[in-house]
Amino acid sequence: MIRARIISTGSYLPEKIISNHDIEKIVDTSDEWIVERTGIRERRMAADDEAASDLAYHASVSALKKAHLKARDIDLIIVATVTGDMPFPSTACLLQARLGAKNAAAFDLNAACSGFVYGMHIAQGMIKSGMHNRILLVGTEVLSRFIDWDDRSTCILFGDGAGAVIMEPTKEKRGVYSTHIYSDGSLSDLISLPGGGSRNPCTRETMLKTLHSIKMKGNETFKVAVRTLEELATYTLAENGIDPSQLSLLMPHQANLRIIQATAKRLNLPMEKVFLNLEKYGNTSAASIPIVLDEAVASGKVKDGDYLLLEAFGGGLTWASALVRW
Ligand code: COA
């Protein structure tokens, strides 16, 4: 049986750190409130000359180096992002050019915070079917450019970053065991970036209405996220006949500590088995899970044969999970 396997990981976080105390100087909030309600203490912000493809480039180079591969060894590049360099060409094509990945087709994928796990779904399908052999899958976001710094309910949440993995076929008893993707477009108004597309192209009026920044009904989103992710995690394990006690690590999308704790509680999973880095980076949307993967692998917490559960929830609405045996 052919499965898709992650052979290497990489990530890149911009240098500039924005702490909760920095945000206290911009809006009426406090470090205490933000930590208590979200678990976030600081986030990264891209430099003025850095766009999504730049962050993606550094994460990809790191993943390629670790796999001892050249960019021309890649035959498909998928970039999950909602903050690409521009509407077109795709950020994936810009990344392909910068890497010199001449043998790769390249496209972007928009599933908001679930984008990377959606990408795993597509990549594993491509690999299992034999259509592609070595895929570079990237999540990259520069959300700081799309934040309304007057809106205290959203500006505290998001950060910039990128993560990348390389996937290949394997006949071993490891790799991606299953992926599950879902959407509910009827709840699209819960999290959105309404301006800049063909519905609300950029005008003076859309600028004044701040339509070019993220809008979120935080509390409603929170409730749907908790319910959905609890069900998703339970279902994903059951589909694979895996008891939660067999799980080595839960790798959740890093949006809110309370959402993550609820999922862990539902699985009866001690928090030591949950990988967290949202304290340092906040919500980096599609980049969140590949950054988690890279940091978890680098920390030595991921061992051969470990079962890992990846799960994400985001705008669309979308939600997605993957069960991986390392
Ligand atoms: N600092 C201080 N007070 C704040 C605040 C901030 N940064 N942001 C909101 N508040 C206030 C609100 O104005 C409100 O005040 P009021 O009661 O006087 O009207 C109060 O806090 C409660 O607001 P509410 O939105 O109900 O808070 P909450 O407990 O739901 O926390 C979020 C807000 C955004 C942290 C939380 O809803 C959340 O994390 N939601 C999910 C977000 C998410 O994960 N989105 C991405 C999915 S990928």
Side-chain angles (χ1 to χ4, degrees):
M1 181 186 186
I2 303 280
R3 285 197 184 90
R5 184 192 155 207
I6 295 172
I7 60 158
S8 82
T9 63
S11 62
Y12 173 79
L13 280 309
E15 269 174 38
K16 187 172 178 182
I17 296 173
I18 307 286
S19 70
N20 290 348
H21 295 296
D22 294 326
I23 297 184
E24 279 175 358
K25 293 175 199 146
I26 306 172
V27 289
D28 179 15
T29 189
S30 66
D31 173 56
E32 197 189 356
W33 193 95
I34 302 171
V35 173
E36 193 186 302
R37 298 291 178 110
T38 69
I40 299 166
R41 290 182 190 276
E42 54 189 43
R43 66 290 290 142
R44 298 299 177 96
M45 188 190 261
D48 289 347
D49 61 353
E50 279 181 323
S53 69
D54 300 313
L55 275 54
Y57 173 77
H58 296 302
S60 303
V61 166
S62 167
L64 283 165
K65 266 191 191 156
K66 288 181 208 164
H68 306 291
L69 290 172
K70 299 266 181 283
R72 62 173 177 271
D73 299 325
I74 300 294
D75 64 12
L76 181 66
I77 298 174
I78 306 173
V79 173
T81 185
V82 289
T83 55
D85 291 31
M86 53 189 94
F88 73 88
S90 67
T91 300
C93 282
L94 299 173
L95 175 64
Q96 179 213 15
R98 187 151 172 210
L99 289 171
K102 290 188 175 141
N103 299 315
F107 67 89
D108 285 1
L109 187 162
N110 175 344
C113 302
S114 313
F116 181 81
V117 187
Y118 262 65
M120 281 185 76
H121 181 78
I122 294 170
Q124 77 134 340
M126 297 281 197
I127 286 171
K128 280 174 97 161
S129 68
M131 289 174 80
H132 287 276
N133 202 47
R134 198 172 281 134
I135 299 179
L136 171 64
L137 170 62
V138 184
T140 183
E141 302 286 8
V142 184
L143 292 153
S144 61
R145 304 263 153 80
F146 302 92
I147 284 170
D148 176 356
W149 289 102
D150 288 328
D151 177 5
R152 68 177 180 173
S153 68
T154 53
C155 74
I156 57 165
L157 299 174
F158 300 100
D160 303 337
V165 302
I166 297 171
M167 293 172 73
E168 258 185 20
T170 181
K171 285 183 180 167
E172 294 172 45
K173 251 189 128 186
R174 64 197 300 191
V176 181
Y177 272 39
S178 74
T179 51
H180 309 269
I181 63 170
Y182 305 92
S183 318
D184 184 353
S186 71
L187 296 175
S188 58
D189 64 326
L190 291 190
I191 324 171
S192 65
L193 204 167
S198 52
R199 176 73 57 197
N200 297 303
C202 184
T203 61
R204 194 166 173 274
E205 201 188 348
T206 62
M207 300 278 280
L208 289 172
K209 285 184 177 164
T210 68
L211 294 189
H212 300 276
S213 53
I214 298 167
K215 309 288 170 213
M216 189 175 67
K217 294 179 182 163
N219 202 268
E220 284 172 61
T221 307
F222 183 92
K223 286 177 193 154
V224 183
V226 167
R227 192 180 65 241
T228 308
L229 289 172
E230 283 181 357
E231 282 170 15
L232 178 64
T234 312
Y235 174 77
T236 307
L237 292 180
E239 273 291 289
N240 288 281
I242 304 276
D243 187 80
S245 62
Q246 291 173 265
L247 204 58
S248 301
L249 265 185
L250 174 66
M251 297 184 166
H253 169 49
Q254 309 281 309
N256 184 306
L257 182 59
R258 290 183 294 145
I259 298 176
I260 296 170
Q261 284 168 334
T263 309
K265 196 172 169 200
R266 173 75 176 262
L267 295 178
N268 241 329
L269 211 61
M271 285 306 283
E272 301 82 71
K273 284 193 170 189
V274 182
F275 197 90
L276 295 171
N277 62 14
L278 91 165
E279 194 179 68
K280 297 185 289 179
Y281 308 136
N283 181 347
T284 56
S285 190
S288 164
I289 288 190
I291 296 172
V292 163
L293 250 175
D294 189 46
E295 292 201 342
V297 170
S299 73
K301 282 192 175 173
V302 181
K303 309 252 176 349
D304 280 357
D306 276 359
Y307 285 112
L308 314 174
L309 175 59
L310 285 53
E311 43 100 337
F313 178 90
L317 295 178
T318 56
W319 58 101
S321 64
L323 187 81
V324 174
R325 184 152 195 250
W326 199 253

